[in-house]
Amino acid sequence: MREALVAAAFELFLERGFEQTTIDDIVSLAGVGRRSFFRYFPAKEDVVFPDHERGLAEMTEFLESGTGEEDPVKHASDAARLVLRMYAEQPSFSVQRYRLTRKVPGLRAYELSVVWRYEHTLAHYLRGRFADRPDGALRADVIAAAVVSAHNHALRTWLRSGGESDWVAEVDAAMAFVTGTWSDRQAEAGPDGGAGADDVVVLVASRRAPLWRMVQGIESALGDAHRV
């Protein structure tokens, strides 16, 4: 019944336009009554986003499944991957919805409210993980926003390709950027996973140079993350 309502709604949206389609039109095409529609969807806008409640539930469950030992930034990034995977499960539907929301300002506003719920869910998880840090709340909110922005960049790239591009590669690159920027463990491990094992620094200095100047040169070469 739920899927029949969604299919009927999108057939009419594409044929007539969102604003010109009524709930009565949708239930008539689906062959059900108005009561059946409202059993599944509180409003017409909700039929455009039938999968987001499931997406939010899966994200929350995934975040709560952590042991507390994992990298919180990576765990949040992996949670966002679930949402893009949800879109990729139905590429034609996702692309149609993307094109529809671009045309209807009200749907775009509704979509932004859904995005805020994802961000709020991620921020809540991260606040718990960073609770012992003085900047924990700020860090959590900023990282949550970064994860959502990176996810949306990957998603839009995939949708604009008509669902033809490699969504896995898109989201991998986006989330790698987030973890590389914000993860403490990423900074400690270095880009290749080792504690700077592949870094080779050759310092050329006068034999008469004081030790402090040599140390300063090494620090300058390695960056602030490797202060001696």
Side-chain angles (χ1 to χ4, degrees):
M1 179 79 70
R2 191 171 183 274
E3 292 177 0
L5 286 166
V6 172
F10 266 81
E11 181 178 336
L12 292 170
F13 294 157
L14 294 173
E15 178 185 322
R16 305 179 184 179
F18 178 80
E19 301 292 353
Q20 290 70 35
T21 300
T22 67
I23 291 175
D24 286 334
D25 294 332
I26 296 170
V27 297
S28 176
L29 182 59
V32 301
R34 284 176 61 89
R35 183 176 299 179
S36 296
F37 182 91
F38 290 110
R39 185 180 300 131
Y40 295 99
F41 305 107
K44 187 172 67 170
E45 290 78 8
D46 293 286
V47 79
V48 181
F49 305 96
D51 42 11
H52 280 302
E53 290 301 326
R54 173 172 67 89
L56 280 162
E58 289 182 355
M59 171 184 278
T60 302
E61 182 180 1
F62 179 83
L63 291 171
E64 293 175 348
S65 72
T67 63
E69 299 298 323
E70 66 280 341
D71 177 357
V73 180
K74 184 178 185 304
H75 197 58
S77 297
D78 288 342
R81 293 170 188 270
L82 298 176
V83 182
L84 212 158
R85 183 178 294 115
M86 178 184 70
Y87 278 85
E89 288 173 355
Q90 302 182 72
S92 296
F93 176 75
S94 296
V95 171
Q96 285 180 350
R97 175 168 58 192
Y98 173 72
R99 292 171 179 168
L100 181 64
T101 55
R102 301 284 71 75
K103 298 177 182 178
V104 184
L107 289 178
R108 180 58 182 156
Y110 185 95
E111 186 177 43
L112 289 173
S113 72
V114 175
V115 171
W116 180 85
R117 293 176 65 192
Y118 284 116
E119 186 174 327
H120 178 75
T121 300
L122 290 168
H124 176 75
Y125 160 76
L126 291 167
R127 280 173 177 253
R129 292 298 306 274
F130 296 139
D132 60 340
R133 300 180 62 135
D135 64 347
L138 174 61
R139 178 173 288 267
D141 290 350
V142 170
I143 293 175
V147 170
V148 169
S149 294
H151 167 273
N152 289 346
H153 174 82
L155 175 61
R156 283 192 298 269
T157 301
W158 177 72
L159 290 172
R160 287 168 182 163
S161 76
E164 296 295 329
S165 67
D166 186 348
W167 70 269
V168 176
E170 299 289 354
V171 75
D172 280 351
M175 294 306 139
F177 179 80
V178 174
T179 54
T181 302
W182 289 104
S183 173
D184 292 337
R185 299 184 192 181
Q186 186 78 8
E188 293 168 3
D192 298 321
D198 293 330
D199 289 338
V200 177
V201 176
V202 177
L203 177 67
V204 179
S206 168
R207 184 176 297 180
R208 298 175 183 173
L211 180 60
W212 66 266
R213 187 173 295 279
M214 296 184 195
V215 171
Q216 187 180 61
I218 295 171
E219 287 180 343
S220 177
L222 293 178
D224 291 340
H226 296 81
R227 289 293 181 190
V228 177

